[in-house]
Amino acid sequence: MSDVSKSLNFIEHIIEDDLAAGLSKDKLRFRFPPEPNGYLHIGHASSICLNFGLGLSYDAPVNLRFDDTNPAKEEQEYVDAIKKDVAWLGFKWDQEVYASDYFQQLYDWAVQLIKEGKAYVDSQSADLIAEQKGTPTEVGSNSPFRDRSVDENLALFSDMKAGKFTEGEHVLRAKIDMTSSNMLMRDPIIYRILHKAHHRTNTDWCIYPMYDWTHGESDYLEQVSHSFCTLEFAMHRELYDWFLDQVVDENKVRPKQREFARRNFSHTVVSKRKLLKLVEEGIVTGWDDPRMPTISGLRRKGYTPASLRNFANTIGIAKRENVVDVSLLEFSIREDLNKIAPRVMAVLNPVKLVITNYEEGKEEWLEAENNPGDEAAGNRLVPFSRELYIEQEDFKEEANKKFFRLKLGGEVRLKNGYIIKAESCTKDTDGNITEIQCTYDPKSKSGSGTEESLRKVKGTLHWVSIQHAVASEVRLYDRLFTDETPDQHKDKDFMEFVNPDSLTIITGYVEPSLKSAKSEDIFQFQRLGYFNIDKDSTEEKLIFNKTVGLRDTWAKIQEK
């Protein structure tokens, strides 16, 4: 590695041990192998960062391989989305490959297994095959077709390939050991019949290889040195190795499968099947809905590639599964956006404020810095006038000494502007405040250097000029589920925990500098949080998504 003194995780120790045992560094090759049956989610981001991160650490190539062996669930749309997500995260793959590239070779190897007496065509139903598999404490029983002759098996398998049988009529099974303590070794299915068009091979094939048969052989064909999978594949490793035993050339690299723990995340689900259900039932607007834990959903919500990479590095790689609090993910985006997001002013819950001693029709353009932590970000001009919007919660008629915002008889500074004093307010018939009347000190303008401008007041409020304000749709997002582990309840369906208030749409008012903002541009609405421009925005209508608040308010709500 580039820095041998750094602390290594257990995956890196495996690689280092193999190198020390004689594996040449130039033989290292990794892969990220998604199935194109849905959009990638935050859990996949960890796997992407692991495999491509190893490629960067060891200066080794990384393949992007699509394990596309199930045409019933796979689509080109998902392939395109996956490529976009990996590239957006900042990674480049060496080869773009597909399991379907190897269909002919996999078929030829299967024929070889039949000829060697290591595979046979089983003509039983799926239920009977499952029943004969036995249980973890009871051995399985042989299929009545296990001893078919090689010639009969070859003929049947050829006819399966030719499309002469219906789905489920026959399968090809490996002949291993029906008494094995590992049930996956009890004559696993290698091929099944599927009369469905494939997104790449169309109707060229009527039989499709199973994942266990495809995965290791694909690794071998690509000369992948280390095949890292999540823990649910630990029991598959014995079968992975058995399949490799049948085809490997000792002069080539033999892939090594090792497992790490899947990361689960609080207040969400990451099962593609369950995410698809949310889409199909209209709970969300699509795979890229900002409430979804998909990479495309997080991107649309305003997350940055750096924040997801940092998050993956923070949670690291483990051998045991655990639940990662989603607030850690939110911490990562806050930390990143605090450095890069321009500061702007917006009011989301407006009340009108009138400066009675400010000349009617007058306007000023006040200088405001774009990011106090980044001098290179420069400044901008924001318009100021007699009538402004401020947040309703920033004003009270009466308040105690701990309320540092505006109250009758009290003073605050308007950000980048003047010190104002609340003199009176107007209410509607229900007692709601509809207007606040204030006076201002003309000599207190921020940055003017006057004695009055240097006077200290405890509160500073953000605002927008009503005359110049741009009305915008603002989408406020909350947790998609009210329960921390919605899919971990044996007696309840995860859909029962869908948060009915996960999306609130309001009209907010933003400063006019945002008129030219483009899709995915991210800003800090001062004192409110981070927001980005949604792809639904148009020149006539700005739409903002709330990325995250300035603080973790959810933790406080949970405490209460």
Side-chain angles (χ1 to χ4, degrees):
M1 298 188 68
S2 57
D3 181 4
V4 294
S5 65
K6 69 169 282 191
S7 177
L8 302 180
N9 61 45
F10 80 94
I11 292 283
E12 292 165 332
H13 275 296
I14 291 170
I15 297 170
E16 291 294 327
D17 289 346
D18 288 340
L19 292 174
L23 178 65
S24 175
K25 188 173 181 291
D26 64 6
K27 296 295 186 182
L28 289 177
R29 179 179 288 271
F30 309 104
R31 88 289 174 267
F32 173 61
E35 182 184 357
N37 63 347
Y39 282 56
L40 300 182
H41 54 64
I42 184 62
H44 292 116
S46 292
S47 181
I48 293 168
C49 291
L50 166 65
N51 286 289
F52 283 93
L54 290 171
L56 292 172
S57 296
Y58 288 97
D59 192 24
V62 184
N63 287 356
L64 175 60
R65 181 176 76 236
F66 294 94
D67 280 337
D68 55 344
T69 61
N70 186 0
K73 295 183 178 180
E74 297 157 356
E75 298 178 17
Q76 185 63 39
E77 173 193 351
Y78 299 141
V79 171
D80 296 338
I82 289 168
K83 289 166 62 176
K84 180 178 180 180
D85 287 345
V86 175
W88 177 77
L89 281 171
F91 298 114
K92 295 182 179 180
W93 51 88
D94 179 58
Q95 298 175 14
E96 179 185 324
V97 287
Y98 297 78
S100 54
D101 293 338
Y102 315 129
F103 279 175
Q104 186 61 52
Q105 178 63 76
L106 292 168
Y107 176 82
D108 292 343
W109 275 335
V111 170
Q112 177 184 322
L113 289 182
I114 294 173
K115 290 178 178 179
E116 294 174 355
K118 296 176 180 177
Y120 62 96
V121 174
D122 196 335
S123 305
Q124 299 180 101
S125 69
D127 289 340
L128 273 176
I129 291 174
E131 184 180 328
Q132 290 166 0
K133 282 257 186 171
T135 69
T137 57
E138 298 177 353
V139 299
S141 56
N142 289 346
S143 164
F145 300 101
R146 198 172 196 264
D147 295 323
R148 268 178 165 154
S149 69
V150 169
D151 287 343
E152 185 180 2
N153 282 319
L154 288 173
L156 284 169
F157 191 47
S158 177
D159 286 346
M160 286 169 62
K161 178 178 181 292
K164 295 182 179 180
F165 302 115
T166 60
E167 293 185 9
E169 196 170 349
H170 302 287
V171 293
L172 183 71
R173 297 175 69 178
K175 188 185 292 186
I176 306 180
D177 182 3
M178 292 301 291
T179 66
S180 173
S181 59
N182 183 348
M183 291 186 65
L184 294 171
M185 300 296 288
R186 297 179 186 178
D187 290 10
I189 295 172
I190 307 178
Y191 273 90
R192 79 283 203 200
I193 300 169
L194 282 175
H195 293 291
K196 291 181 172 62
H198 188 278
H199 71 101
R200 295 185 75 237
T201 62
N202 199 9
T203 55
D204 291 352
W205 292 86
C206 300
I207 55 172
Y208 290 92
M210 300 298 288
Y211 176 84
D212 280 323
W213 171 239
T214 309
H215 191 207
E217 316 308 84
S218 297
D219 287 340
Y220 175 63
L221 287 167
E222 295 166 26
Q223 286 294 275
V224 168
S225 59
H226 296 81
S227 180
F228 297 116
C229 309
T230 45
L231 276 181
E232 65 263 34
F233 292 100
M235 291 296 291
H236 294 248
R237 192 200 299 181
E238 185 180 1
L239 182 55
Y240 180 97
D241 287 333
W242 189 90
F243 281 142
L244 284 178
D245 288 342
Q246 314 312 312
V247 301
V248 291
D249 180 332
E250 62 182 15
N251 296 315
K252 291 185 177 182
V253 172
R254 180 190 175 108
K256 173 183 284 189
Q257 176 182 306
R258 292 297 182 266
E259 304 82 27
F260 61 94
R262 178 194 295 272
R263 295 300 198 182
N264 298 308
F265 302 90
S266 69
H267 299 96
T268 192
V269 296
V270 290
S271 158
K272 286 182 184 176
R273 177 179 57 81
K274 292 172 182 174
L275 293 176
L276 179 60
K277 187 173 182 180
L278 292 170
V279 173
E280 290 179 338
E281 296 197 9
I283 302 298
V284 295
T285 58
W287 286 94
D288 69 344
D289 187 298
R291 291 166 290 180
M292 291 279 272
T294 55
I295 295 175
S296 56
L298 291 167
R299 177 170 64 244
R300 186 174 176 184
K301 194 176 183 183
Y303 278 73
T304 61
S307 69
L308 295 188
R309 293 196 303 267
N310 291 338
F311 172 70
N313 292 334
T314 299
I315 63 174
I317 300 300
K319 294 184 178 182
R320 291 184 178 180
E321 289 193 7
N322 65 342
V323 176
V324 178
D325 196 314
V326 74
S327 62
L328 182 59
L329 176 61
E330 293 171 349
F331 171 81
S332 295
I333 188 61
R334 281 192 198 96
E335 194 173 50
D336 190 37
L337 294 184
N338 183 52
K339 294 180 259 184
I340 64 173
R343 274 54 169 173
V344 297
M345 289 197 287
V347 174
L348 303 186
N349 187 21
V351 63
K352 184 177 181 179
L353 182 148
V354 179
I355 304 173
T356 56
N357 62 333
Y358 194 89
E359 183 180 340
E360 289 193 38
K362 178 182 176 182
E363 68 176 43
E364 296 178 69
W365 288 81
L366 307 177
E367 190 169 35
E369 57 187 348
N370 290 324
N371 190 331
D374 180 10
E375 289 186 9
N379 298 326
R380 71 189 187 287
L381 295 176
V382 292
F384 184 85
S385 63
R386 188 172 189 266
E387 296 184 349
L388 312 173
Y389 283 135
I390 66 168
E391 300 287 349
Q392 287 188 21
E393 53 267 33
D394 281 346
F395 174 75
K396 288 184 179 181
E397 289 183 83
E398 297 179 4
N400 60 34
K401 293 181 180 179
K402 293 184 178 180
F403 185 75
F404 298 132
R405 286 171 273 183
L406 188 61
K407 56 189 174 184
L408 288 181
E411 291 184 320
V412 296
R413 175 172 292 284
L414 295 174
K415 180 72 174 174
N416 306 308
Y418 298 93
I419 294 173
I420 60 171
K421 181 179 180 181
E423 306 289 355
S424 59
C425 64
T426 304
K427 301 179 183 179
D428 62 18
T429 54
D430 295 324
N432 299 310
I433 295 169
T434 57
E435 183 178 297
I436 307 160
Q437 293 85 37
C438 298
T439 55
Y440 86 116
D441 182 346
K443 296 182 180 180
S444 65
K445 183 177 179 180
S446 292
S448 62
T450 64
E451 182 178 344
E452 291 83 356
S453 70
L454 300 174
R455 186 159 61 87
K456 300 295 183 184
V457 291
K458 289 187 176 180
T460 300
L461 304 187
H462 65 278
W463 51 272
V464 291
S465 165
I466 293 178
Q467 176 186 341
H468 305 86
V470 179
S472 307
E473 179 178 309
V474 182
R475 299 172 179 176
L476 305 176
Y477 296 100
D478 203 342
R479 303 284 197 271
L480 185 53
F481 295 95
T482 56
D483 189 82
E484 183 177 358
T485 55
D487 57 351
Q488 300 299 311
H489 299 268
K490 293 182 179 179
D491 58 337
K492 293 184 178 181
D493 185 80
F494 78 101
M495 297 289 280
E496 294 182 40
F497 299 102
V498 170
N499 180 5
D501 301 315
S502 61
L503 171 61
T504 303
I505 299 177
I506 63 172
T507 297
Y509 297 88
V510 302
E511 64 176 72
S513 68
L514 295 177
K515 282 183 179 178
S516 59
K518 305 298 182 186
S519 177
E520 297 189 9
D521 285 353
I522 304 173
F523 305 92
Q524 184 196 98
F525 288 1
Q526 293 185 64
R527 299 177 64 232
L528 298 175
Y530 296 97
F531 294 75
N532 80 317
I533 298 286
D534 188 77
K535 68 177 187 179
D536 291 343
S537 277
T538 64
E539 291 185 5
E540 294 75 30
K541 182 181 182 181
L542 285 177
I543 300 176
F544 291 91
N545 296 319
K546 183 175 183 179
T547 305
V548 69
L550 295 179
R551 297 176 184 83
D552 185 4
T553 54
W554 181 263
K556 295 180 180 178
I557 294 171
Q558 292 286 78
E559 287 175 11
K560 291 181 180 179

